[in-house]
Amino acid sequence: MNILSVDKKICTGCAACYNICPKDAIYMQDNGEGFLYPAINEQKCVDCGLCYKKCPAVEYDFDTPEIPDCYAVWAEKSIREQSSSGGMFTVLAEHILEKKGVVVGAAWDKDLHVEHIIIDRKEDLYKLRGSKYVQSIIDGTLFRRIKTLLENGTNVLFSGCPCQVAGLKKFLGNDYDNLVTIDIVCHGVPSPAVLDNYVSEVAEGRKVKHIDFRDKKYFGWSTITVFKFNDNSEYVKSYFESPWYIGFLQGIIIRENCGQCKYAKTQRVGDITLGDFWQIQKIDPKCNDWRGTGLVLINTSKGQKVFDVVKPDLSLAEKKRLEDELPFNGQLVRPTKITVQRQMFFDAFQRNHSYLKSLQQATDNTRDVGIVGFWSANNYGSVITYYALKEVIEDLGYSVGMIELPLEFNDTFGDMMSRRFVDKHYYTTGRLSKNKYRDLNERFKTFIIGSDQVWNPVYIKNYGYYMFLDFVADNKKRIAYAASIGKEKYDIPYKQRQEVSYYLNKFDAVSVREKQAVETCKTDLSCPRAEHVLDPVWLCKGSDYDKIIKDATFNEKDDFIFSYILDPTEDKKTALEYAVDKLGLKHYNIEDVRRKHKEGDVMIPNTLTDASMEDWLYCLKNCKFVITDSHHGIVFAIMFNKPFICFANPSRTMSRFTSLFDLLKIEDRLIYDPKAIMNDAKYFDTPNYKEINKIVEKEKIRSLSWLKSALEKSVKTDVISDYDILYGKIKNVGDNAWRHGESIKKIENDISDIKTGMENSSANGASLNDKIAKLREAYDSERSRMTEEIHDLKNRIDELTSDYKKIFEELKSIVKDKKQ
């Protein structure tokens, strides 16, 4: 095991491995986001394993109390004016320097990069003072130099993020009496490369001579961004308007591991913990004079000893309950939450190399394209097909948002496989009431209904015409990409079929996933424009799938068979057992994640429970043989050029299978009787992927060209239609009625509260009765006014309904003319 065995998602970049290597075989390498990760020079490495053994991300034993003693502190006024918070670091550092010791901490270098340095003079203490909200660099000799100083008897004060303190301690291996460690309450570390870019964009050619993230000169004790330039001009932004703080505090620009930081808790790694005592005025107002109050946690006896020595030098040192501070200092409770915005930011940043543009893309609520469909369904196939569609559209240069299903649809959400995946990879609108979906026209230019059984007629009962984008305004683009009907015939009542046809003919471009659906659209839905295209999973780059697979927790290194069986039967189980025995390999199965087991169900052996999307894709990519009854299971088997056995599955719509197998000219590989594989060895042969891949490449080019063309069509005129005007007026009627109802409800609640108060206080009864009388008068007045308005609104609704009927008759006439 060496440092490359450590998952990069938990690597903090502490540099313990970099320092410990006896052969200097380890170096730190930029990962493309501006963060440093260890790499190994294989020619120098002797496989000693020290780097792995000394990695605190692999193992770290906390030997400090879970709830340490807590103090609110002030240094003297002159020190606090120069400090970010209460000035405690300066007091401790001066104490060590007075004892001829050294202080180690983060400092700006001449190029305005942050690195850890060692100082031994008070005159240099200013370099270490102040907050620097960016990851500091620890070079490959720093910990070694600290060890030499300690062994020579020099007192050392080390200050850093908790992970850096843990790195030093693991490197040293011993607890030196002459070493005092300070860990800071850390919100996460932003990327140095991103800061460089931000500074450059703000400077606009000027030379920056100073950066300060906590300058008290402007707003006192607060968080503020200040850049000072060589022409004496300044850039000053408070935390709520500073683009840097927006990215930093929302976890958009911080290192990936910070989202699962194991040091973000009250049990600490340093002898002393320093931070801001935020909201101290709510806990003890006399401990806040708005010049900065420090939070000090004493974690060890060594820390207590040093604190006791310097305590007389403090203007304030009051013991407080740490529990009172926790609601206001989240980093002592949990790590910063990493959202999909982080990935969006770094994807954009690596494309455009602009901090400001990338941040805007990550935080802006507007997008070029909104994708509608079952992308959050707890189903591996649904999840992966929408992921692919999103990635393909983004690769074409468009920003994408995923539109959540309306609240009224009662779909289950929570800690499901799909939601865990969604939270990592998508920007979503959040769930809204159906009547609010019309407002999404202000946030998206184009709406795409995606690639699943979104047009299956059974869903009209549950979703109405939502999947036909009935909420989209007529001046917005509508596109259907690889939509699936899921039926051979559109067997719904005539009136519903006419309404589907009406909405379908509003689309600017229509494509479907199965060949048979082209004819269904033409004959049953009066939509002759539909074209057949590939499922978007075929169009997605392999590197986009690798981004998912790298997060898999399942990791089988030996050759294995992978089965993905959605609907187990005794015949499928028997055939599967025969195949496993014949191939002589390990076997793993994944089932439909939504399957609820009941007594008598057929159970497939070696089924992975709670398999993630990442595990599912890992198995398909890395197995030696695929056995499946799933459409997407067979698609990925073919895509990854795996030998496969595919059982026909009528319960999952046969047209999906037959359309694909006909297209690829492998109809004889679709098995209708599972036991047939026991009598014909051809099913164990690898298909002719040379010919299959030729067909796939041709169809990929055609399908991608169709999607690109649909997206590039001119945006519709900004002028809205009669339908949109009418819809808006009717919606206003409903909104007005709702507002009046809420107003009356509030008055009724007020009356109820006062009645309760009157019953509890007979002495104030007369006064309360007066209030009730006034509220009753207001209630009657409001109700009377509402009654009049309802009468007027009813008349207006009758007029609008008449207008609507006329418009609808005209539209039916137009549709009829188009047919002819």
Side-chain angles (χ1 to χ4, degrees):
M1 301 290 280
N2 62 33
I3 199 63
L4 299 186
S5 306
V6 179
D7 190 340
K8 286 193 172 183
K9 289 185 294 184
I10 64 172
C11 172
T12 65
C14 72
C17 59
Y18 187 22
N19 278 263
I20 201 68
C21 182
K23 299 296 182 182
D24 291 330
I26 294 176
Y27 58 98
M28 303 299 282
Q29 185 171 267
D30 190 317
N31 73 331
E33 296 179 348
F35 296 106
L36 298 179
Y37 287 82
I40 295 178
N41 183 331
E42 298 292 347
Q43 268 105 33
K44 291 184 178 181
C45 180
V46 294
D47 295 323
C48 66
L50 262 178
C51 54
Y52 185 84
K53 293 172 187 172
K54 292 292 184 177
C55 176
V58 173
E59 181 182 21
Y60 187 84
D61 294 325
F62 289 85
D63 56 0
T64 54
E66 291 189 9
I67 301 293
D69 287 344
C70 171
Y71 290 85
V73 303
W74 294 345
E76 64 175 60
K77 184 179 176 182
S78 61
I79 291 176
R80 279 200 293 161
E81 285 176 350
Q82 302 173 66
S83 305
S84 298
S85 187
M88 188 66 197
F89 170 74
T90 298
V91 173
L92 290 168
E94 287 183 345
H95 167 68
I96 297 295
L97 293 171
E98 285 168 2
K99 294 174 64 177
K100 305 300 181 184
V102 301
V103 180
V104 188
W108 297 102
D109 69 10
K110 60 182 177 59
D111 297 317
L112 294 178
H113 297 142
V114 177
E115 62 179 358
H116 262 63
I117 65 170
I118 301 173
I119 66 165
D120 57 7
R121 303 185 313 152
K122 280 189 180 182
E123 293 83 355
D124 293 328
L125 189 53
Y126 75 92
K127 297 177 182 178
L128 308 186
R129 195 183 284 122
S131 301
K132 304 164 185 73
Y133 294 132
V134 65
Q135 183 158 30
S136 65
I137 298 167
I138 291 179
D139 68 35
T141 67
L142 182 73
F143 291 172
R144 301 178 195 181
R145 285 181 282 146
I146 291 172
K147 185 175 183 178
T148 300
L149 287 164
L150 291 169
E151 290 179 345
N152 289 336
T154 304
N155 289 298
V156 176
L157 177 69
F158 180 90
S159 173
C161 295
C163 54
Q164 293 171 327
V165 174
L168 173 63
K169 285 188 165 186
K170 286 285 281 190
F171 169 85
L172 294 173
N174 295 318
D175 185 15
Y176 290 82
D177 291 338
N178 51 333
L179 170 66
V180 177
T181 56
I182 296 173
D183 72 65
I184 61 171
V185 180
C186 175
H187 195 86
V189 287
S191 161
V194 170
L195 179 61
D196 283 350
N197 186 276
Y198 174 51
V199 171
S200 175
E201 287 188 293
V202 168
E204 297 180 328
R206 294 170 290 177
K207 182 174 177 56
V208 181
K209 63 181 182 181
H210 179 70
I211 295 176
D212 199 321
F213 289 112
R214 298 290 297 276
D215 195 323
K216 293 179 179 177
K217 181 176 76 175
Y218 300 90
F219 301 112
W221 180 34
S222 182
T223 45
I224 184 172
T225 304
V226 178
F227 297 163
K228 296 181 180 179
F229 304 101
N230 60 350
D231 62 359
N232 294 322
S233 59
E234 294 183 347
Y235 171 86
V236 181
K237 296 288 182 183
S238 60
Y239 81 93
F240 55 82
E241 63 178 357
S242 165
W244 188 253
Y245 275 111
I246 291 169
F248 172 43
L249 296 177
Q250 293 184 25
I252 295 171
I253 58 175
I254 63 176
R255 193 178 179 101
E256 185 176 13
N257 73 277
C258 296
Q260 48 187 318
C261 174
K262 62 183 176 183
Y263 309 107
K265 57 183 181 179
T266 56
Q267 190 174 29
R268 310 299 293 179
V269 298
D271 296 304
I272 295 174
T273 296
L274 299 183
D276 289 275
F277 216 126
W278 296 122
Q279 301 297 320
I280 182 63
Q281 70 274 13
K282 294 180 180 179
I283 300 169
D284 187 349
K286 70 176 184 296
C287 291
N288 181 35
D289 63 357
W290 301 107
R291 291 189 176 94
T293 302
L295 171 80
V296 177
L297 305 182
I298 307 301
N299 308 309
T300 66
S301 58
K302 190 194 301 182
Q304 185 68 60
K305 183 178 177 181
V306 175
F307 182 71
D308 289 342
V309 171
V310 302
K311 194 173 178 181
D313 299 328
L314 299 172
S315 300
L316 173 75
E318 285 204 14
K319 196 168 186 179
K320 300 296 177 188
R321 274 173 32 95
L322 178 56
E323 293 88 342
D324 294 336
E325 170 63 3
L326 296 183
F328 311 116
N329 220 318
Q331 300 315 118
L332 290 170
V333 181
R334 69 189 70 84
T336 299
K337 184 179 179 181
I338 299 289
T339 67
V340 70
Q341 290 175 305
R342 182 192 183 279
Q343 190 61 51
M344 290 165 58
F345 171 84
F346 280 107
D347 285 348
F349 185 72
Q350 290 178 58
R351 286 195 303 267
N352 61 37
H353 303 290
S354 166
Y355 175 74
L356 297 174
K357 285 182 182 177
S358 302
L359 183 68
Q360 182 181 14
Q361 288 183 33
T363 57
D364 190 1
N365 281 334
T366 62
R367 293 291 186 276
D368 295 323
V369 177
I371 295 179
V372 177
F374 297 124
W375 50 266
S376 60
N378 207 30
N379 174 288
Y380 298 108
S382 295
V383 171
I384 199 64
T385 197
Y386 284 103
Y387 169 82
L389 182 59
K390 178 190 84 78
E391 292 293 318
V392 170
I393 294 172
E394 286 183 340
D395 283 344
L396 291 173
Y398 300 89
S399 58
V400 177
M402 312 299 282
I403 298 175
E404 294 269 21
L405 289 172
L407 285 165
E408 289 81 355
F409 292 168
N410 295 323
D411 288 76
T412 55
F413 285 78
D415 187 27
M416 305 186 302
M417 174 277 295
S418 59
R419 296 310 299 185
R420 296 195 295 268
F421 186 84
V422 163
D423 290 342
K424 270 204 282 190
H425 294 281
Y426 297 158
Y427 162 80
T428 73
T429 58
R431 300 193 75 189
L432 309 169
S433 293
K434 183 71 164 64
N435 67 333
K436 297 293 183 185
Y437 273 66
R438 198 76 175 174
D439 299 339
L440 293 176
N441 288 284
E442 298 177 11
R443 293 170 59 180
F444 297 97
K445 299 174 184 175
T446 297
F447 293 82
I448 291 186
I449 183 70
S451 318
D452 207 342
Q453 292 190 42
V454 288
W455 289 347
N456 191 316
V458 301
Y459 294 134
I460 293 177
K461 179 180 179 181
N462 296 331
Y463 302 108
Y465 301 112
Y466 170 79
M467 294 298 178
F468 294 92
L469 307 185
D470 63 346
F471 61 91
V472 176
D474 286 347
N475 63 332
K476 297 291 182 177
K477 273 200 296 187
R478 296 174 175 87
I479 297 171
Y481 183 80
S484 177
I485 290 174
K487 297 277 186 181
E488 313 303 331
K489 293 288 292 179
Y490 220 78
D491 49 353
I492 58 174
Y494 173 78
K495 180 177 179 294
Q496 283 188 336
R497 211 159 62 243
Q498 288 294 98
E499 289 171 345
V500 168
S501 175
Y502 166 71
Y503 285 115
L504 199 54
N505 278 286
K506 283 188 169 190
F507 276 72
D508 298 87
V510 178
S511 63
V512 289
R513 192 171 62 186
E514 291 83 35
K515 279 186 177 179
Q516 296 92 324
V518 173
E519 185 61 25
T520 302
C521 285
K522 181 179 178 181
T523 57
D524 293 354
L525 301 175
S526 305
C527 182
R529 298 175 296 122
E531 295 187 38
H532 173 236
V533 295
L534 288 179
D535 188 301
V537 296
W538 295 98
L539 312 185
C540 199
K541 301 194 304 292
S543 58
D544 291 326
Y545 293 131
D546 290 338
K547 283 192 298 189
I548 298 174
I549 292 170
K550 72 178 176 62
D551 291 336
T553 55
F554 181 78
N555 187 20
E556 176 58 73
K557 296 302 183 185
D558 294 334
D559 291 347
F560 65 96
I561 299 164
F562 174 57
S563 62
Y564 177 42
I565 305 297
L566 297 178
D567 301 293
T569 64
E570 287 294 348
D571 283 352
K572 289 178 189 177
K573 183 180 178 181
T574 300
L576 178 59
E577 289 171 344
Y578 173 83
V580 170
D581 184 62
K582 179 179 176 66
L583 294 168
L585 298 173
K586 289 182 179 179
H587 164 238
Y588 298 100
N589 179 68
I590 288 179
E591 61 185 7
D592 186 344
V593 72
R594 299 170 299 183
R595 188 182 179 202
K596 305 294 183 186
H597 296 129
K598 57 183 183 294
E599 189 176 349
D601 277 354
V602 175
M603 304 299 293
I604 303 296
N606 306 315
T607 294
L608 303 176
T609 57
D610 196 30
S612 66
M613 185 76 240
E614 294 83 354
D615 294 335
W616 181 82
L617 203 56
Y618 174 92
C619 289
L620 284 163
K621 176 75 180 288
N622 292 285
C623 69
K624 288 296 179 183
F625 201 101
V626 175
I627 302 175
T628 188
D629 63 354
S630 153
H631 168 253
H632 278 105
I634 198 60
V635 164
F636 277 94
I638 296 170
M639 191 186 307
F640 293 144
N641 285 192
K642 303 290 181 181
F644 66 81
I645 288 172
C646 182
F647 301 132
N649 194 346
S651 64
R652 302 282 175 155
T653 309
M654 279 303 298
S655 60
R656 296 193 291 169
F657 294 89
T658 56
S659 180
L660 176 64
F661 279 66
D662 289 349
L663 176 68
L664 301 181
K665 304 187 188 310
I666 53 172
E667 301 94 324
D668 61 331
R669 302 293 304 228
L670 185 57
I671 302 166
Y672 290 86
D673 176 10
K675 290 184 177 179
I677 69 167
M678 302 164 70
N679 302 314
D680 196 336
K682 74 175 182 180
Y683 294 117
F684 292 89
D685 296 337
T686 301
N688 183 353
Y689 277 115
K690 184 177 180 181
E691 294 303 316
I692 291 172
N693 291 340
K694 282 182 184 177
I695 299 171
V696 168
E697 284 306 310
K698 181 180 176 182
E699 291 298 315
K700 279 170 62 175
I701 292 169
R702 183 183 64 80
S703 298
L704 187 59
S705 175
W706 186 94
L707 178 60
K708 191 168 181 284
S709 175
L711 288 165
E712 287 176 349
K713 280 186 179 179
S714 299
V715 178
K716 291 183 176 180
T717 174
D718 284 338
V719 179
I720 60 175
S721 66
D722 291 347
Y723 172 87
D724 294 318
I725 294 171
L726 184 63
Y727 184 97
K729 287 180 177 178
I730 292 173
K731 184 175 181 297
N732 286 338
V733 169
D735 288 348
N736 284 335
W738 179 82
R739 278 195 295 272
H740 280 295
E742 287 296 300
S743 178
I744 287 176
K745 184 178 176 182
K746 183 179 183 304
I747 292 172
E748 287 176 333
N749 288 338
D750 287 344
I751 290 172
S752 176
D753 290 343
I754 290 172
K755 278 183 176 178
T756 302
M758 185 176 70
E759 289 167 1
N760 294 336
S761 178
S762 57
N764 294 325
S767 173
L768 289 170
N769 277 325
D770 288 342
K771 290 182 179 179
I772 289 174
K774 289 179 181 178
L775 281 167
R776 175 63 65 185
E777 185 180 338
Y779 174 83
D780 291 339
S781 174
E782 182 71 21
R783 192 174 189 113
S784 174
R785 185 165 64 253
M786 182 180 176
T787 302
E788 292 177 8
E789 291 196 17
I790 285 175
H791 179 74
D792 293 341
L793 290 170
K794 184 177 181 303
N795 290 337
R796 182 61 180 142
I797 287 172
D798 291 342
E799 293 174 11
L800 291 170
T801 302
S802 176
D803 291 344
Y804 178 79
K805 287 179 179 177
K806 290 177 184 176
I807 293 170
F808 193 72
E809 289 302 317
E810 290 175 12
L811 287 168
K812 281 169 65 177
S813 175
I814 291 169
V815 171
K816 184 177 178 182
D817 290 344
K818 280 188 176 181
K819 282 184 185 178
Q820 293 172 349

